[in-house]
Amino acid sequence: MRTDMLGFEGCYRRIDHHRDEQSHVSEVFIPSAAAIGPWSNDHQHGGPVGALLTRSMRRLPHGAPGRIARTTVEILGPIAMAPIEVTARVVRPGRKVELLSAVAHQRSEAGTRPVAQASAWWLRTDESPEVVHSPEPRLAAPTDEELARGEEGVPASWRRGFVGSLRWAVRTRIGQIDGPAIAWASMPYPLVEGEDGDDLERCIAIADAANGVGSRLNPKDWVFMNTELTVHLAQPPAGEWTGMVAESWIGEDAVGMSSAVLSDLTGPVGRVAQSLLLERL
């Protein structure tokens, strides 16, 4: 799926927004086809929703220059392909450290319910070039051959919605058994129509695909849904491309976890972890 098939340029279009006296920010968005998840055309992918929550927290007023160092997104239930309202606030203000939160709600005939929530730590930034260190090796950039193959390495059933809207460069077969899987993905459009594409938002959205990239299970036989997403970023991500060295850990009781090292084209930037709920099809 390419961006001209999304309905509009972006995963979401903002249709309403306001800020109250306590600087709480509330916005309403409608999803495009790029927000569709891998398991059902009726539900949104957790990646764009997590990026939307992170976007709202990032845009809150802050006491000092800084950035989000950790984001945790909790998926509270199925998120329908319908308007979504996101409200964000500063829970714990500070000069060096702030705790942020955001909640996404949807309305139905049964009433309004929360469908996802997130928290983030905002840390004051300074300069530390003399002590820069990464424990992870640099991931080689996508090759022309990998870019030419595109999404061929992505399971056919996932080549729609959000996953299908991304550009892919798959280095090792997704679903392989021996060792982690390696893939690059690019989100070549903004999260919200009319806005400049933000590198943090792109990284958070793509990071949610780590459980698919590092899967050891055939999606024809198993559903392996992540109930949450936690991303730690030691380095601010830059650019459209996010690399993942991902693998899954499957328990004997149909519960597991996914983890991945995240990179941009300059080097490693952080790590992602997700809890997995497994179900046989």
PDB file of all heavy atoms in Angstrom, residues 104-142:
ATOM      1  N   ALA A 104      -6.208   7.644  25.305  1.00  0.00           N
ATOM      2  CA  ALA A 104      -7.020   7.670  24.097  1.00  0.00           C
ATOM      3  C   ALA A 104      -8.392   7.075  24.398  1.00  0.00           C
ATOM      4  O   ALA A 104      -8.482   5.996  24.993  1.00  0.00           O
ATOM      5  CB  ALA A 104      -6.341   6.880  22.975  1.00  0.00           C
ATOM      6  N   HIS A 105      -9.449   7.793  23.997  1.00  0.00           N
ATOM      7  CA  HIS A 105     -10.823   7.342  24.201  1.00  0.00           C
ATOM      8  C   HIS A 105     -11.526   7.189  22.860  1.00  0.00           C
ATOM      9  O   HIS A 105     -11.184   7.860  21.886  1.00  0.00           O
ATOM     10  CB  HIS A 105     -11.621   8.353  25.040  1.00  0.00           C
ATOM     11  CG  HIS A 105     -11.229   8.395  26.482  1.00  0.00           C
ATOM     12  ND1 HIS A 105     -10.176   9.160  26.954  1.00  0.00           N
ATOM     13  CD2 HIS A 105     -11.754   7.771  27.572  1.00  0.00           C
ATOM     14  CE1 HIS A 105     -10.074   9.016  28.257  1.00  0.00           C
ATOM     15  NE2 HIS A 105     -11.013   8.177  28.655  1.00  0.00           N
ATOM     16  N   GLN A 106     -12.516   6.298  22.843  1.00  0.00           N
ATOM     17  CA  GLN A 106     -13.412   6.189  21.705  1.00  0.00           C
ATOM     18  C   GLN A 106     -14.856   6.141  22.200  1.00  0.00           C
ATOM     19  O   GLN A 106     -15.132   5.632  23.292  1.00  0.00           O
ATOM     20  CB  GLN A 106     -13.113   4.942  20.869  1.00  0.00           C
ATOM     21  CG  GLN A 106     -11.865   5.066  20.027  1.00  0.00           C
ATOM     22  CD  GLN A 106     -11.735   3.967  19.001  1.00  0.00           C
ATOM     23  OE1 GLN A 106     -11.976   2.802  19.289  1.00  0.00           O
ATOM     24  NE2 GLN A 106     -11.341   4.333  17.776  1.00  0.00           N
ATOM     25  N   ARG A 107     -15.748   6.671  21.388  1.00  0.00           N
ATOM     26  CA  ARG A 107     -17.165   6.686  21.712  1.00  0.00           C
ATOM     27  C   ARG A 107     -17.911   5.655  20.874  1.00  0.00           C
ATOM     28  O   ARG A 107     -17.597   5.428  19.717  1.00  0.00           O
ATOM     29  CB  ARG A 107     -17.753   8.078  21.470  1.00  0.00           C
ATOM     30  CG  ARG A 107     -17.142   9.167  22.337  1.00  0.00           C
ATOM     31  CD  ARG A 107     -17.675  10.536  21.986  1.00  0.00           C
ATOM     32  NE  ARG A 107     -17.041  11.573  22.798  1.00  0.00           N
ATOM     33  CZ  ARG A 107     -17.244  12.867  22.633  1.00  0.00           C
ATOM     34  NH1 ARG A 107     -18.061  13.286  21.678  1.00  0.00           N
ATOM     35  NH2 ARG A 107     -16.632  13.746  23.416  1.00  0.00           N
ATOM     36  N   SER A 108     -18.913   5.039  21.501  1.00  0.00           N
ATOM     37  CA  SER A 108     -19.781   4.090  20.808  1.00  0.00           C
ATOM     38  C   SER A 108     -21.178   4.213  21.391  1.00  0.00           C
ATOM     39  O   SER A 108     -21.428   5.046  22.268  1.00  0.00           O
ATOM     40  CB  SER A 108     -19.255   2.661  20.980  1.00  0.00           C
ATOM     41  OG  SER A 108     -19.357   2.251  22.339  1.00  0.00           O
ATOM     42  N   GLU A 109     -22.084   3.366  20.916  1.00  0.00           N
ATOM     43  CA  GLU A 109     -23.443   3.401  21.448  1.00  0.00           C
ATOM     44  C   GLU A 109     -23.470   3.068  22.934  1.00  0.00           C
ATOM     45  O   GLU A 109     -24.375   3.493  23.655  1.00  0.00           O
ATOM     46  CB  GLU A 109     -24.316   2.419  20.671  1.00  0.00           C
ATOM     47  CG  GLU A 109     -24.510   2.790  19.207  1.00  0.00           C
ATOM     48  CD  GLU A 109     -25.398   1.789  18.485  1.00  0.00           C
ATOM     49  OE1 GLU A 109     -25.781   0.790  19.126  1.00  0.00           O
ATOM     50  OE2 GLU A 109     -25.694   2.017  17.298  1.00  0.00           O
ATOM     51  N   ALA A 110     -22.464   2.310  23.396  1.00  0.00           N
ATOM     52  CA  ALA A 110     -22.409   1.930  24.810  1.00  0.00           C
ATOM     53  C   ALA A 110     -21.804   3.025  25.677  1.00  0.00           C
ATOM     54  O   ALA A 110     -21.796   2.913  26.903  1.00  0.00           O
ATOM     55  CB  ALA A 110     -21.621   0.643  24.970  1.00  0.00           C
ATOM     56  N   GLY A 111     -21.253   4.074  25.050  1.00  0.00           N
ATOM     57  CA  GLY A 111     -20.638   5.155  25.818  1.00  0.00           C
ATOM     58  C   GLY A 111     -19.192   5.374  25.418  1.00  0.00           C
ATOM     59  O   GLY A 111     -18.725   4.853  24.398  1.00  0.00           O
ATOM     60  N   THR A 112     -18.475   6.129  26.238  1.00  0.00           N
ATOM     61  CA  THR A 112     -17.068   6.439  25.974  1.00  0.00           C
ATOM     62  C   THR A 112     -16.186   5.522  26.812  1.00  0.00           C
ATOM     63  O   THR A 112     -16.433   5.328  28.001  1.00  0.00           O
ATOM     64  CB  THR A 112     -16.761   7.898  26.315  1.00  0.00           C
ATOM     65  OG1 THR A 112     -17.591   8.744  25.516  1.00  0.00           O
ATOM     66  CG2 THR A 112     -15.310   8.235  26.044  1.00  0.00           C
ATOM     67  N   ARG A 113     -15.140   4.961  26.194  1.00  0.00           N
ATOM     68  CA  ARG A 113     -14.249   4.073  26.930  1.00  0.00           C
ATOM     69  C   ARG A 113     -12.798   4.363  26.550  1.00  0.00           C
ATOM     70  O   ARG A 113     -12.505   4.724  25.398  1.00  0.00           O
ATOM     71  CB  ARG A 113     -14.564   2.610  26.646  1.00  0.00           C
ATOM     72  CG  ARG A 113     -14.249   2.155  25.227  1.00  0.00           C
ATOM     73  CD  ARG A 113     -14.582   0.691  24.993  1.00  0.00           C
ATOM     74  NE  ARG A 113     -14.282   0.265  23.629  1.00  0.00           N
ATOM     75  CZ  ARG A 113     -13.127  -0.267  23.255  1.00  0.00           C
ATOM     76  NH1 ARG A 113     -12.157  -0.454  24.155  1.00  0.00           N
ATOM     77  NH2 ARG A 113     -12.917  -0.623  21.997  1.00  0.00           N
ATOM     78  N   PRO A 114     -11.868   4.197  27.509  1.00  0.00           N
ATOM     79  CA  PRO A 114     -10.450   4.318  27.172  1.00  0.00           C
ATOM     80  C   PRO A 114      -9.991   3.093  26.396  1.00  0.00           C
ATOM     81  O   PRO A 114     -10.314   1.964  26.765  1.00  0.00           O
ATOM     82  CB  PRO A 114      -9.767   4.414  28.540  1.00  0.00           C
ATOM     83  CG  PRO A 114     -10.698   3.706  29.475  1.00  0.00           C
ATOM     84  CD  PRO A 114     -12.082   3.955  28.951  1.00  0.00           C
ATOM     85  N   VAL A 115      -9.241   3.307  25.322  1.00  0.00           N
ATOM     86  CA  VAL A 115      -8.767   2.182  24.513  1.00  0.00           C
ATOM     87  C   VAL A 115      -7.253   2.019  24.587  1.00  0.00           C
ATOM     88  O   VAL A 115      -6.717   0.952  24.267  1.00  0.00           O
ATOM     89  CB  VAL A 115      -9.193   2.343  23.038  1.00  0.00           C
ATOM     90  CG1 VAL A 115     -10.712   2.210  22.914  1.00  0.00           C
ATOM     91  CG2 VAL A 115      -8.718   3.676  22.458  1.00  0.00           C
ATOM     92  N   ALA A 116      -6.555   3.071  25.010  1.00  0.00           N
ATOM     93  CA  ALA A 116      -5.098   2.990  25.161  1.00  0.00           C
ATOM     94  C   ALA A 116      -4.640   4.109  26.079  1.00  0.00           C
ATOM     95  O   ALA A 116      -5.294   5.149  26.187  1.00  0.00           O
ATOM     96  CB  ALA A 116      -4.395   3.101  23.805  1.00  0.00           C
ATOM     97  N   GLN A 117      -3.531   3.874  26.753  1.00  0.00           N
ATOM     98  CA  GLN A 117      -2.946   4.907  27.602  1.00  0.00           C
ATOM     99  C   GLN A 117      -1.432   4.809  27.513  1.00  0.00           C
ATOM    100  O   GLN A 117      -0.877   3.781  27.133  1.00  0.00           O
ATOM    101  CB  GLN A 117      -3.402   4.761  29.054  1.00  0.00           C
ATOM    102  CG  GLN A 117      -2.959   3.473  29.729  1.00  0.00           C
ATOM    103  CD  GLN A 117      -3.554   3.285  31.112  1.00  0.00           C
ATOM    104  OE1 GLN A 117      -4.649   3.772  31.390  1.00  0.00           O
ATOM    105  NE2 GLN A 117      -2.853   2.579  31.966  1.00  0.00           N
ATOM    106  N   ALA A 118      -0.762   5.915  27.856  1.00  0.00           N
ATOM    107  CA  ALA A 118       0.692   5.935  27.765  1.00  0.00           C
ATOM    108  C   ALA A 118       1.266   6.808  28.860  1.00  0.00           C
ATOM    109  O   ALA A 118       0.601   7.708  29.382  1.00  0.00           O
ATOM    110  CB  ALA A 118       1.143   6.456  26.398  1.00  0.00           C
ATOM    111  N   SER A 119       2.497   6.516  29.216  1.00  0.00           N
ATOM    112  CA  SER A 119       3.256   7.376  30.110  1.00  0.00           C
ATOM    113  C   SER A 119       4.648   7.550  29.521  1.00  0.00           C
ATOM    114  O   SER A 119       5.113   6.713  28.742  1.00  0.00           O
ATOM    115  CB  SER A 119       3.352   6.775  31.525  1.00  0.00           C
ATOM    116  OG  SER A 119       4.077   5.559  31.497  1.00  0.00           O
ATOM    117  N   ALA A 120       5.294   8.646  29.872  1.00  0.00           N
ATOM    118  CA  ALA A 120       6.628   8.912  29.332  1.00  0.00           C
ATOM    119  C   ALA A 120       7.431   9.718  30.335  1.00  0.00           C
ATOM    120  O   ALA A 120       6.884  10.530  31.092  1.00  0.00           O
ATOM    121  CB  ALA A 120       6.535   9.666  28.016  1.00  0.00           C
ATOM    122  N   TRP A 121       8.735   9.473  30.344  1.00  0.00           N
ATOM    123  CA  TRP A 121       9.658  10.286  31.123  1.00  0.00           C
ATOM    124  C   TRP A 121      10.350  11.272  30.186  1.00  0.00           C
ATOM    125  O   TRP A 121      10.971  10.881  29.200  1.00  0.00           O
ATOM    126  CB  TRP A 121      10.691   9.418  31.838  1.00  0.00           C
ATOM    127  CG  TRP A 121      10.152   8.732  33.054  1.00  0.00           C
ATOM    128  CD1 TRP A 121       9.856   7.414  33.185  1.00  0.00           C
ATOM    129  CD2 TRP A 121       9.843   9.349  34.308  1.00  0.00           C
ATOM    130  NE1 TRP A 121       9.375   7.151  34.443  1.00  0.00           N
ATOM    131  CE2 TRP A 121       9.349   8.312  35.158  1.00  0.00           C
ATOM    132  CE3 TRP A 121       9.918  10.645  34.809  1.00  0.00           C
ATOM    133  CZ2 TRP A 121       8.949   8.553  36.470  1.00  0.00           C
ATOM    134  CZ3 TRP A 121       9.517  10.887  36.116  1.00  0.00           C
ATOM    135  CH2 TRP A 121       9.042   9.850  36.931  1.00  0.00           C
ATOM    136  N   TRP A 122      10.199  12.544  30.529  1.00  0.00           N
ATOM    137  CA  TRP A 122      10.846  13.636  29.809  1.00  0.00           C
ATOM    138  C   TRP A 122      12.067  14.056  30.627  1.00  0.00           C
ATOM    139  O   TRP A 122      11.946  14.419  31.792  1.00  0.00           O
ATOM    140  CB  TRP A 122       9.874  14.798  29.656  1.00  0.00           C
ATOM    141  CG  TRP A 122      10.445  16.052  29.053  1.00  0.00           C
ATOM    142  CD1 TRP A 122      11.157  17.026  29.686  1.00  0.00           C
ATOM    143  CD2 TRP A 122      10.325  16.471  27.691  1.00  0.00           C
ATOM    144  NE1 TRP A 122      11.490  18.029  28.814  1.00  0.00           N
ATOM    145  CE2 TRP A 122      10.996  17.719  27.573  1.00  0.00           C
ATOM    146  CE3 TRP A 122       9.722  15.929  26.562  1.00  0.00           C
ATOM    147  CZ2 TRP A 122      11.067  18.420  26.373  1.00  0.00           C
ATOM    148  CZ3 TRP A 122       9.793  16.632  25.369  1.00  0.00           C
ATOM    149  CH2 TRP A 122      10.460  17.853  25.283  1.00  0.00           C
ATOM    150  N   LEU A 123      13.253  13.976  30.007  1.00  0.00           N
ATOM    151  CA  LEU A 123      14.490  14.306  30.712  1.00  0.00           C
ATOM    152  C   LEU A 123      15.142  15.547  30.121  1.00  0.00           C
ATOM    153  O   LEU A 123      15.162  15.731  28.896  1.00  0.00           O
ATOM    154  CB  LEU A 123      15.478  13.136  30.642  1.00  0.00           C
ATOM    155  CG  LEU A 123      14.992  11.783  31.149  1.00  0.00           C
ATOM    156  CD1 LEU A 123      16.133  10.776  31.119  1.00  0.00           C
ATOM    157  CD2 LEU A 123      14.384  11.878  32.541  1.00  0.00           C
ATOM    158  N   ARG A 124      15.674  16.392  31.002  1.00  0.00           N
ATOM    159  CA  ARG A 124      16.430  17.561  30.563  1.00  0.00           C
ATOM    160  C   ARG A 124      17.642  17.118  29.754  1.00  0.00           C
ATOM    161  O   ARG A 124      18.297  16.126  30.084  1.00  0.00           O
ATOM    162  CB  ARG A 124      16.866  18.367  31.797  1.00  0.00           C
ATOM    163  CG  ARG A 124      17.677  19.633  31.509  1.00  0.00           C
ATOM    164  CD  ARG A 124      19.180  19.368  31.463  1.00  0.00           C
ATOM    165  NE  ARG A 124      19.687  18.885  32.748  1.00  0.00           N
ATOM    166  CZ  ARG A 124      20.613  17.962  32.852  1.00  0.00           C
ATOM    167  NH1 ARG A 124      21.140  17.373  31.778  1.00  0.00           N
ATOM    168  NH2 ARG A 124      21.039  17.572  34.046  1.00  0.00           N
ATOM    169  N   THR A 125      17.953  17.802  28.680  1.00  0.00           N
ATOM    170  CA  THR A 125      19.114  17.453  27.858  1.00  0.00           C
ATOM    171  C   THR A 125      20.224  18.486  28.005  1.00  0.00           C
ATOM    172  O   THR A 125      19.976  19.658  28.314  1.00  0.00           O
ATOM    173  CB  THR A 125      18.727  17.348  26.367  1.00  0.00           C
ATOM    174  OG1 THR A 125      18.074  18.554  25.961  1.00  0.00           O
ATOM    175  CG2 THR A 125      17.807  16.156  26.144  1.00  0.00           C
ATOM    176  N   ASP A 126      21.451  18.016  27.800  1.00  0.00           N
ATOM    177  CA  ASP A 126      22.647  18.857  27.848  1.00  0.00           C
ATOM    178  C   ASP A 126      23.625  18.296  26.822  1.00  0.00           C
ATOM    179  O   ASP A 126      23.201  17.596  25.888  1.00  0.00           O
ATOM    180  CB  ASP A 126      23.230  18.847  29.268  1.00  0.00           C
ATOM    181  CG  ASP A 126      24.101  20.070  29.555  1.00  0.00           C
ATOM    182  OD1 ASP A 126      24.557  20.716  28.591  1.00  0.00           O
ATOM    183  OD2 ASP A 126      24.349  20.365  30.736  1.00  0.00           O
ATOM    184  N   GLU A 127      24.918  18.528  26.965  1.00  0.00           N
ATOM    185  CA  GLU A 127      25.911  18.002  26.042  1.00  0.00           C
ATOM    186  C   GLU A 127      26.830  17.012  26.752  1.00  0.00           C
ATOM    187  O   GLU A 127      27.282  17.278  27.866  1.00  0.00           O
ATOM    188  CB  GLU A 127      26.748  19.141  25.442  1.00  0.00           C
ATOM    189  CG  GLU A 127      25.926  20.102  24.596  1.00  0.00           C
ATOM    190  CD  GLU A 127      26.801  21.169  23.951  1.00  0.00           C
ATOM    191  OE1 GLU A 127      28.031  21.148  24.169  1.00  0.00           O
ATOM    192  OE2 GLU A 127      26.246  22.015  23.239  1.00  0.00           O
ATOM    193  N   SER A 128      27.089  15.859  26.096  1.00  0.00           N
ATOM    194  CA  SER A 128      27.965  14.848  26.687  1.00  0.00           C
ATOM    195  C   SER A 128      28.741  14.097  25.614  1.00  0.00           C
ATOM    196  O   SER A 128      28.846  12.863  25.674  1.00  0.00           O
ATOM    197  CB  SER A 128      27.144  13.864  27.527  1.00  0.00           C
ATOM    198  OG  SER A 128      26.112  13.274  26.740  1.00  0.00           O
ATOM    199  N   PRO A 129      29.305  14.783  24.613  1.00  0.00           N
ATOM    200  CA  PRO A 129      29.971  14.069  23.510  1.00  0.00           C
ATOM    201  C   PRO A 129      31.207  13.283  23.939  1.00  0.00           C
ATOM    202  O   PRO A 129      31.552  12.282  23.308  1.00  0.00           O
ATOM    203  CB  PRO A 129      30.351  15.193  22.538  1.00  0.00           C
ATOM    204  CG  PRO A 129      30.437  16.421  23.391  1.00  0.00           C
ATOM    205  CD  PRO A 129      29.371  16.242  24.435  1.00  0.00           C
ATOM    206  N   GLU A 130      31.858  13.699  25.032  1.00  0.00           N
ATOM    207  CA  GLU A 130      33.100  13.040  25.435  1.00  0.00           C
ATOM    208  C   GLU A 130      32.869  11.685  26.079  1.00  0.00           C
ATOM    209  O   GLU A 130      33.821  10.910  26.267  1.00  0.00           O
ATOM    210  CB  GLU A 130      33.894  13.942  26.391  1.00  0.00           C
ATOM    211  CG  GLU A 130      33.288  14.119  27.788  1.00  0.00           C
ATOM    212  CD  GLU A 130      32.193  15.172  27.850  1.00  0.00           C
ATOM    213  OE1 GLU A 130      31.742  15.632  26.778  1.00  0.00           O
ATOM    214  OE2 GLU A 130      31.788  15.520  28.970  1.00  0.00           O
ATOM    215  N   VAL A 131      31.629  11.342  26.420  1.00  0.00           N
ATOM    216  CA  VAL A 131      31.364  10.056  27.081  1.00  0.00           C
ATOM    217  C   VAL A 131      30.363   9.207  26.297  1.00  0.00           C
ATOM    218  O   VAL A 131      29.804   8.249  26.833  1.00  0.00           O
ATOM    219  CB  VAL A 131      30.857  10.263  28.527  1.00  0.00           C
ATOM    220  CG1 VAL A 131      31.962  10.826  29.402  1.00  0.00           C
ATOM    221  CG2 VAL A 131      29.617  11.170  28.562  1.00  0.00           C
ATOM    222  N   VAL A 132      30.115   9.533  25.044  1.00  0.00           N
ATOM    223  CA  VAL A 132      29.152   8.776  24.239  1.00  0.00           C
ATOM    224  C   VAL A 132      29.588   7.314  24.134  1.00  0.00           C
ATOM    225  O   VAL A 132      30.761   7.009  23.878  1.00  0.00           O
ATOM    226  CB  VAL A 132      29.031   9.393  22.827  1.00  0.00           C
ATOM    227  CG1 VAL A 132      28.252   8.460  21.903  1.00  0.00           C
ATOM    228  CG2 VAL A 132      28.337  10.742  22.908  1.00  0.00           C
ATOM    229  N   HIS A 133      28.637   6.405  24.352  1.00  0.00           N
ATOM    230  CA  HIS A 133      28.932   4.969  24.275  1.00  0.00           C
ATOM    231  C   HIS A 133      27.659   4.218  23.936  1.00  0.00           C
ATOM    232  O   HIS A 133      26.581   4.529  24.438  1.00  0.00           O
ATOM    233  CB  HIS A 133      29.475   4.446  25.614  1.00  0.00           C
ATOM    234  CG  HIS A 133      29.520   2.941  25.675  1.00  0.00           C
ATOM    235  ND1 HIS A 133      30.420   2.182  24.964  1.00  0.00           N
ATOM    236  CD2 HIS A 133      28.733   2.049  26.358  1.00  0.00           C
ATOM    237  CE1 HIS A 133      30.217   0.897  25.200  1.00  0.00           C
ATOM    238  NE2 HIS A 133      29.200   0.794  26.046  1.00  0.00           N
ATOM    239  N   SER A 134      27.771   3.221  23.076  1.00  0.00           N
ATOM    240  CA  SER A 134      26.668   2.310  22.777  1.00  0.00           C
ATOM    241  C   SER A 134      27.165   0.884  22.898  1.00  0.00           C
ATOM    242  O   SER A 134      28.213   0.541  22.339  1.00  0.00           O
ATOM    243  CB  SER A 134      26.123   2.549  21.362  1.00  0.00           C
ATOM    244  OG  SER A 134      25.208   1.524  21.013  1.00  0.00           O
ATOM    245  N   PRO A 135      26.419   0.007  23.608  1.00  0.00           N
ATOM    246  CA  PRO A 135      26.829  -1.395  23.717  1.00  0.00           C
ATOM    247  C   PRO A 135      26.463  -2.214  22.494  1.00  0.00           C
ATOM    248  O   PRO A 135      26.829  -3.389  22.405  1.00  0.00           O
ATOM    249  CB  PRO A 135      26.062  -1.889  24.947  1.00  0.00           C
ATOM    250  CG  PRO A 135      24.818  -1.065  24.938  1.00  0.00           C
ATOM    251  CD  PRO A 135      25.222   0.292  24.420  1.00  0.00           C
ATOM    252  N   GLU A 136      25.726  -1.620  21.561  1.00  0.00           N
ATOM    253  CA  GLU A 136      25.247  -2.355  20.388  1.00  0.00           C
ATOM    254  C   GLU A 136      26.040  -1.947  19.145  1.00  0.00           C
ATOM    255  O   GLU A 136      26.378  -0.773  18.971  1.00  0.00           O
ATOM    256  CB  GLU A 136      23.762  -2.075  20.148  1.00  0.00           C
ATOM    257  CG  GLU A 136      22.859  -2.484  21.302  1.00  0.00           C
ATOM    258  CD  GLU A 136      22.816  -3.980  21.516  1.00  0.00           C
ATOM    259  OE1 GLU A 136      23.184  -4.733  20.590  1.00  0.00           O
ATOM    260  OE2 GLU A 136      22.405  -4.400  22.621  1.00  0.00           O
ATOM    261  N   PRO A 137      26.342  -2.897  18.254  1.00  0.00           N
ATOM    262  CA  PRO A 137      27.049  -2.564  17.010  1.00  0.00           C
ATOM    263  C   PRO A 137      26.147  -1.789  16.054  1.00  0.00           C
ATOM    264  O   PRO A 137      24.914  -1.875  16.123  1.00  0.00           O
ATOM    265  CB  PRO A 137      27.416  -3.932  16.439  1.00  0.00           C
ATOM    266  CG  PRO A 137      26.352  -4.845  16.971  1.00  0.00           C
ATOM    267  CD  PRO A 137      26.040  -4.336  18.359  1.00  0.00           C
ATOM    268  N   ARG A 138      26.776  -1.045  15.184  1.00  0.00           N
ATOM    269  CA  ARG A 138      26.016  -0.296  14.185  1.00  0.00           C
ATOM    270  C   ARG A 138      25.406  -1.253  13.169  1.00  0.00           C
ATOM    271  O   ARG A 138      26.062  -2.203  12.727  1.00  0.00           O
ATOM    272  CB  ARG A 138      26.932   0.709  13.481  1.00  0.00           C
ATOM    273  CG  ARG A 138      26.203   1.577  12.459  1.00  0.00           C
ATOM    274  CD  ARG A 138      27.075   2.708  11.983  1.00  0.00           C
ATOM    275  NE  ARG A 138      26.394   3.511  10.980  1.00  0.00           N
ATOM    276  CZ  ARG A 138      26.844   4.653  10.506  1.00  0.00           C
ATOM    277  NH1 ARG A 138      28.008   5.130  10.945  1.00  0.00           N
ATOM    278  NH2 ARG A 138      26.172   5.321   9.598  1.00  0.00           N
ATOM    279  N   LEU A 139      24.163  -1.023  12.811  1.00  0.00           N
ATOM    280  CA  LEU A 139      23.445  -1.852  11.844  1.00  0.00           C
ATOM    281  C   LEU A 139      23.654  -1.271  10.450  1.00  0.00           C
ATOM    282  O   LEU A 139      23.397  -0.082  10.209  1.00  0.00           O
ATOM    283  CB  LEU A 139      21.964  -1.891  12.188  1.00  0.00           C
ATOM    284  CG  LEU A 139      21.057  -2.821  11.381  1.00  0.00           C
ATOM    285  CD1 LEU A 139      21.481  -4.267  11.541  1.00  0.00           C
ATOM    286  CD2 LEU A 139      19.603  -2.633  11.820  1.00  0.00           C
ATOM    287  N   ALA A 140      24.143  -2.092   9.528  1.00  0.00           N
ATOM    288  CA  ALA A 140      24.386  -1.624   8.171  1.00  0.00           C
ATOM    289  C   ALA A 140      23.086  -1.117   7.541  1.00  0.00           C
ATOM    290  O   ALA A 140      22.011  -1.683   7.747  1.00  0.00           O
ATOM    291  CB  ALA A 140      24.977  -2.752   7.321  1.00  0.00           C
ATOM    292  N   ALA A 141      23.193  -0.036   6.784  1.00  0.00           N
ATOM    293  CA  ALA A 141      22.031   0.580   6.155  1.00  0.00           C
ATOM    294  C   ALA A 141      21.397  -0.355   5.129  1.00  0.00           C
ATOM    295  O   ALA A 141      22.031  -1.302   4.648  1.00  0.00           O
ATOM    296  CB  ALA A 141      22.450   1.889   5.489  1.00  0.00           C
ATOM    297  N   PRO A 142      20.146  -0.107   4.775  1.00  0.00           N
ATOM    298  CA  PRO A 142      19.498  -0.940   3.749  1.00  0.00           C
ATOM    299  C   PRO A 142      20.275  -0.899   2.434  1.00  0.00           C
ATOM    300  O   PRO A 142      20.755   0.158   2.019  1.00  0.00           O
ATOM    301  CB  PRO A 142      18.118  -0.291   3.587  1.00  0.00           C
ATOM    302  CG  PRO A 142      17.883   0.473   4.845  1.00  0.00           C
ATOM    303  CD  PRO A 142      19.227   0.923   5.302  1.00  0.00           C
TER     304      PRO A 142
END
